[in-house]
Amino acid sequence: MKKILVSLSLVLIMFRTYADEGMWLPMLLGQQVYNDMVKKGLKLKPEQLYSINNASLKDAIVIFGGGCTGEIVSNQGLIFTNHHCGYGAIAKASSVENNYLRDGFWAADKSKEIQTSLSVQFLNRIEDVTQKIEAGLGSLTGAERNAKMQQIQSDLIKEATGGNEFKRAVVASMFKGNQYFLYVYDVHKDIRFVGTPPESIGKYGGDTDNWEWPRHTGDFSVFRVYTTKDGQPANYDVANVPMTPKYFLPVSIKPLKDGDYSMIYGYPGSTNRYEISDGVKLSTDINNPSLVKLRDMRLKYMYAEMIKDPAVKLQLASSYAGIANYWKFFDGETKQLLKYDVYGNKKKFENEFNNWAKGKAEYENIVADYAKNYEAWRPYAKHRQYLNEGIMGSPLLAFAGSWMSLENALNKKDAKAEDIEKAVKAAERARANFLENENKKSDQKILAHALSLFMTDVDPAQQPKEFYTDLFKSSSIEENPFKKYAADVFENTMAFDDAKWKAFTAKPTVEALQNDPAYKTATAFINNYNKNYASKFAAFNSKNNELGKAYLKGIMEMDPVKAKMMYPDANFTMRVSYGNVKSYYPKDAVKYDIVCTMKGVMDKYVKDDYEFDLPQKFIDLYNAKDFGRYADPNYKDLVVNFITTNDITGGNSGSPVINGKGELIGLAFDGNYEALSHKLAFDKDLNRTICVDVRYVLWCIEKLGGAKHIVDELNVVSK
Ligand code: ARG
């Protein structure tokens, strides 16, 4: 951390009223929040949590890959993160012969650690740029304002990174655009794969147990950051050395009990806690059910191929897991939003707001304007979901759709040869990537089914009519027109045909593109949307942003003292959440304990099952009660997972769970089903974070994996 420029006076942090809700900005905790942390059990000084000039806890926290968190746990750049965060890299490093995903892997020494294409980012500095942005925007509105905003942000980013590929900058909007921070990161690109338990441990329980407590998943994997000899971030090079970090977390193997302090540092991706009631209704009525239905369809076809062939399983595993994760999430979100009447509760609050806003020109129409805005967009929402999750849910069509930039380059007046060449090169890279991940069998079925669902479910007035007329012309009704059509597309597109592709890239023309059946199909839907509905969506969004900013400002004014929890919504910037290890009551008469143990893992075991199988060695070690120093004296067993009251969301995956002394006790990896409405409304009684116990992590490395040398790198504390 070099230098930080934040004007504290501008910060809109207020009192918190509810237990454990809040994703706080660690550099701006404020006395109130810090005092509350201490009351809950924190033993560290504020400057140990976050310091500009000295090494502190926050220096051990990284953005892992594109959307996860990791933590540094040794003085040699060792990183712990979730198994599901390392999943893509593990699958990529695997082959049918050396199947690390299935069998696990531990590098015997550093020379055996495996190169990946992952990156890891350390937060370098933060600057409050609200005034710069406000000054630049002046009194602009609408599209002009959006364009200017983009310009200002890209200038700020350029200035901050100076084009250095090992720096990344981003402007983050806080409190719905009432404040802006510039974040600058150091990007490390030599990240090596150190080890993982087998998938039967790392993803134990699969999608059946995903988003659920009780839970028995060993959701962790291990990587390492390498730098140049003088400690600089770099691309992969054999000559690079393990990073000497500014700070790393000690690891605690002390037993846990109900009520223990727990703090989670990391990068929560997105929440929308001040979403308006109409937004909740749009989710439960249209957006979520559409997404769930379409993903359900896609997953079914992918799964059918994956269980047949280990090579296909490796190929599709990562993409399948990502689709399945949010398929179950959005299904559960709908159920919980309805169960707890989140819509009704938001309505009640909006009525209070309206009473307060009466006669205040700035605020009195916000809620009504929101309703109008949602009403205007609502008829098109399903169309948008079916395009994104259905039609573009076919990997072939998503790839073919990306050729539109090629068509744009070709169509440009006085198109420069070098620009066309650039676009062709980009398409070639995209093709290589596409083919590597493509399973034609499942994709062809997805395409046929998506085309049919779009026709049956989306408002006929909004469909690309000519496309469907042509489709029915080209095949008879008996032979299932959608299947026949999809088969033709797969047969004739240049995407799979090296000779056709080569001929096209040697002499790219607009006609050739437009004659390709995959491109034709993709653009029929994309152009229809772009021409008729994209501007409606843009207007809906920009109006929502405008209203959101004013609404939040109003809420703060309405009750400045006990205003709701005034932490900004999650936006993939570093946050700290604090709470306790705590049991809960999921339903009448049922109490869920704070931990799950190895006994529970064994109870769920089903030999050769896709989700609940176990390695024989695991069973043997359990039967021998060989838990080493990691057994919990209270449970006389190995604790596998535990729960806390922390407020986290997707993006926090892999985040360190830290005790009152600043020691690592686990890794956050999931949320519980009863609180899946958490993006839109935090439930103070039911919300729990599910964590893998670090004692189980160490046991899996040392006893199950036989990689004690990795445990020896850590600073393990037992007192
Ligand atoms: N629900 C977890 C999260 O979003 C991901 C768990 C991955 N496991 C799975 N079975 N898909 O962080």
Side-chain angles (χ1 to χ4, degrees):
M1 202 62 193
K2 283 173 192 136
K3 200 169 173 213
I4 185 174
L5 298 163
V6 174
S7 46
L8 278 150
S9 60
L10 278 172
V11 170
L12 306 160
I13 300 261
M14 301 190 180
F15 294 92
R16 37 190 274 119
T17 50
Y18 296 156
D20 306 334
E21 173 174 358
M23 301 173 172
W24 306 97
L25 294 167
M27 69 289 193
L28 300 167
L29 276 184
Q31 199 58 41
Q32 202 96 24
V33 172
Y34 175 74
N35 289 348
D36 199 29
M37 287 176 149
V38 171
K39 214 168 93 195
K40 283 208 145 67
L42 177 67
K43 304 273 186 273
L44 301 178
K45 306 234 154 41
E47 59 274 19
Q48 291 176 289
L49 292 180
Y50 193 98
S51 162
I52 299 164
N53 301 312
N54 299 310
S56 62
L57 245 164
K58 74 113 187 23
D59 294 309
I61 318 301
V62 298
I63 295 178
F64 184 86
C68 276
T69 304
E71 53 276 0
I72 304 291
V73 289
S74 86
N75 60 3
Q76 300 167 60
L78 199 70
I79 306 172
F80 280 178
T81 188
N82 286 153
H83 183 264
H84 78 264
C85 294
Y87 202 72
I90 298 166
K92 212 167 156 187
S94 301
S95 61
V96 175
E97 298 75 39
N98 290 309
N99 201 332
Y100 306 137
L101 190 70
R102 187 189 60 201
D103 306 329
F105 167 77
W106 292 104
D109 56 59
K110 294 200 181 72
S111 73
K112 304 283 184 336
E113 295 175 359
I114 300 174
Q115 179 184 356
T116 70
S117 51
L118 285 161
S119 73
V120 150
Q121 302 175 49
F122 289 80
L123 181 55
N124 179 304
R125 75 183 178 93
I126 308 169
E127 181 182 340
D128 187 332
V129 292
T130 314
Q131 277 170 351
K132 283 187 187 169
I133 289 184
E134 294 293 346
L137 290 176
S139 56
L140 293 177
T141 55
E144 272 177 340
R145 189 181 172 88
N146 291 344
K148 183 76 188 178
M149 175 75 97
Q150 289 218 324
Q151 186 56 52
I152 300 171
Q153 294 199 2
S154 90
D155 290 348
L156 284 168
I157 289 168
K158 235 182 258 157
E159 193 189 315
T161 63
N164 182 338
E165 67 161 313
F166 301 108
K167 291 220 176 292
R168 185 178 75 94
V170 64
V171 176
S173 151
M174 304 289 175
F175 302 102
K176 290 195 185 269
N178 282 291
Q179 196 172 19
Y180 290 93
F181 287 156
L182 174 75
Y183 284 79
V184 186
Y185 301 93
D186 292 323
V187 185
H188 288 258
K189 301 186 185 184
D190 189 349
I191 308 303
R192 300 188 199 170
F193 172 38
V194 175
T196 180
E199 189 181 22
S200 54
I201 303 293
K203 204 185 170 183
Y204 189 67
D207 291 315
T208 302
D209 274 9
N210 192 17
W211 301 111
E212 315 251 5
W213 180 259
R215 188 65 160 276
H216 301 87
T217 310
D219 200 341
F220 78 95
S221 57
V222 183
F223 293 82
R224 192 189 303 280
V225 195
Y226 282 75
T227 64
T228 60
K229 288 210 174 66
D230 46 5
Q232 295 307 304
N235 286 309
Y236 176 85
D237 190 323
V238 276
N240 285 344
V241 296
M243 175 188 223
T244 304
K246 267 196 200 150
Y247 193 84
F248 66 93
L249 297 176
V251 175
S252 161
I253 55 169
K254 292 169 276 191
L256 296 176
K257 56 181 194 313
D258 209 328
D260 279 356
Y261 181 81
S262 66
M263 180 165 70
I264 296 183
Y265 246 106
Y267 282 85
S270 73
T271 55
N272 195 1
R273 298 261 165 91
Y274 290 94
E275 174 64 302
I276 205 86
S277 56
D278 308 273
V280 173
K281 196 157 162 48
L282 187 70
S283 293
T284 54
D285 285 356
I286 299 174
N287 285 348
N288 290 5
S290 303
L291 175 143
V292 170
K293 180 174 178 175
L294 292 159
R295 289 196 173 199
D296 200 47
M297 175 274 285
R298 288 153 61 196
L299 290 168
K300 196 177 70 191
Y301 293 127
M302 293 168 80
Y303 183 75
E305 301 308 320
M306 285 164 69
I307 49 163
K308 276 193 267 186
D309 182 346
V312 177
K313 151 92 196 202
L314 276 179
Q315 189 193 25
L316 295 185
S318 183
S319 129
Y320 183 92
I323 299 167
N325 191 28
Y326 276 90
W327 156 76
K328 188 163 177 187
F329 175 87
F330 282 112
D331 190 41
E333 184 188 60
T334 307
K335 288 183 179 127
Q336 305 308 345
L337 287 171
L338 294 173
K339 184 167 168 192
Y340 305 122
D341 191 22
V342 171
Y343 172 80
N345 290 331
K346 298 237 176 215
K347 269 260 180 253
K348 256 184 240 152
F349 179 76
E350 286 152 23
N351 288 338
E352 277 168 41
F353 181 84
N354 275 343
N355 286 338
W356 169 82
K358 220 168 271 162
K360 299 183 177 73
E362 201 183 347
Y363 302 120
E364 65 181 347
N365 295 319
I366 291 177
V367 173
D369 287 350
Y370 250 131
K372 269 185 235 154
N373 198 39
Y374 270 95
E375 209 176 282
W377 171 248
R378 204 176 149 92
Y380 312 105
K382 194 179 213 178
H383 182 149
R384 189 178 152 79
Q385 286 293 68
Y386 272 65
L387 177 63
N388 289 336
E389 292 287 337
I391 304 292
M392 292 299 126
S394 152
L396 171 63
L397 284 216
F399 170 53
S402 74
W403 303 344
M404 285 177 85
S405 51
L406 205 48
E407 185 178 343
N408 290 341
L410 291 166
N411 267 335
K412 225 178 182 169
K413 259 196 230 123
D414 340 301
K416 276 193 238 139
E418 65 197 66
D419 288 341
I420 294 174
E421 202 179 303
K422 234 191 189 164
V424 170
K425 282 259 155 62
E428 301 229 91
R429 280 195 301 273
R431 180 170 183 255
N433 189 37
F434 163 72
L435 290 177
E436 196 186 322
N437 298 302
E438 171 68 351
N439 174 258
K440 286 167 84 172
K441 275 199 186 132
S442 54
D443 192 0
Q444 189 174 316
K445 289 180 181 141
I446 289 170
L447 175 59
H449 206 148
L451 291 172
S452 133
L453 287 176
F454 196 98
M455 196 184 86
T456 50
D457 292 3
V458 174
D459 182 349
Q462 296 175 27
Q463 295 181 12
K465 273 182 214 65
E466 276 170 34
F467 171 80
Y468 281 107
T469 322
D470 288 351
L471 181 150
F472 280 101
K473 251 189 245 158
S474 70
S475 71
S476 70
I477 211 86
E478 308 77 78
E479 49 190 353
N480 186 331
F482 303 105
K483 275 192 188 159
K484 165 88 182 353
Y485 182 87
D488 286 347
V489 171
F490 273 74
E491 180 68 34
N492 294 311
T493 176
M494 63 182 166
F496 301 115
D497 189 322
D498 288 340
K500 275 191 198 164
W501 178 264
K502 228 171 146 190
F504 168 74
T505 51
K507 193 176 169 300
T509 65
V510 172
E511 294 76 57
L513 267 182
Q514 290 179 346
N515 282 329
D516 185 275
Y519 189 66
K520 229 192 224 165
T521 312
T523 50
F525 287 86
I526 296 172
N527 287 336
N528 174 48
Y529 177 83
N530 284 349
K531 213 167 102 205
N532 305 306
Y533 309 105
S535 61
K536 288 186 171 45
F537 185 67
F540 163 72
N541 256 341
S542 92
K543 185 80 195 168
N544 252 4
N545 290 342
E546 210 178 281
L547 290 168
K549 180 178 177 189
Y551 185 44
L552 204 54
K553 188 160 166 264
I555 289 171
M556 290 167 167
E557 250 176 73
M558 184 169 119
D559 201 343
V561 179
K562 63 178 179 101
K564 297 267 173 178
M565 284 130 334
M566 291 284 109
Y567 54 92
D569 265 314
N571 56 4
F572 208 54
T573 56
M574 187 188 277
R575 303 299 175 93
V576 61
S577 146
Y578 63 100
N580 298 98
V581 174
K582 203 168 167 190
S583 52
Y584 73 109
Y585 294 86
K587 52 189 160 199
D588 198 25
V590 177
K591 182 180 178 177
Y592 279 166
D593 198 1
I594 55 168
V595 303
C596 285
T597 61
M598 203 131 148
K599 176 179 181 306
V601 180
M602 292 299 298
D603 286 346
K604 285 178 173 174
Y605 167 60
V606 182
K607 192 170 167 38
D608 293 331
D609 187 74
Y610 194 74
E611 297 181 317
F612 292 95
D613 197 13
L614 286 169
Q616 188 56 45
K617 185 167 180 197
F618 182 98
I619 297 167
D620 295 343
L621 287 167
Y622 177 75
N623 288 335
K625 300 277 178 280
D626 190 355
F627 304 145
R629 56 177 171 164
Y630 305 118
D632 189 296
N634 301 318
Y635 291 87
K636 312 231 170 344
D637 197 343
L638 197 59
V639 168
V640 170
N641 292 166
F642 65 91
I643 45 172
T644 69
T645 58
N646 293 83
D647 185 3
I648 69 158
T649 191
N652 267 119
S653 283
S655 291
V657 189
I658 299 165
N659 66 15
K661 290 172 140 178
E663 300 151 354
L664 185 73
I665 54 174
L667 275 61
F669 73 92
D670 210 358
N672 59 331
Y673 203 79
E674 295 82 4
L676 278 190
S677 44
H678 74 254
K679 283 193 184 284
L680 302 174
F682 182 90
D683 190 304
K684 67 184 170 60
D685 299 317
L686 291 173
N687 188 83
R688 290 296 180 275
T689 285
I690 303 175
C691 316
V692 55
D693 193 299
V694 82
R695 290 168 293 175
Y696 186 53
V697 170
L698 300 197
W699 181 86
C700 285
I701 299 175
E702 181 181 325
K703 294 281 181 177
L704 185 67
K708 180 149 186 304
H709 59 286
I710 291 170
V711 174
D712 291 342
E713 250 188 66
L714 312 171
N715 174 15
V716 176
V717 281
S718 52
K719 281 208 190 66

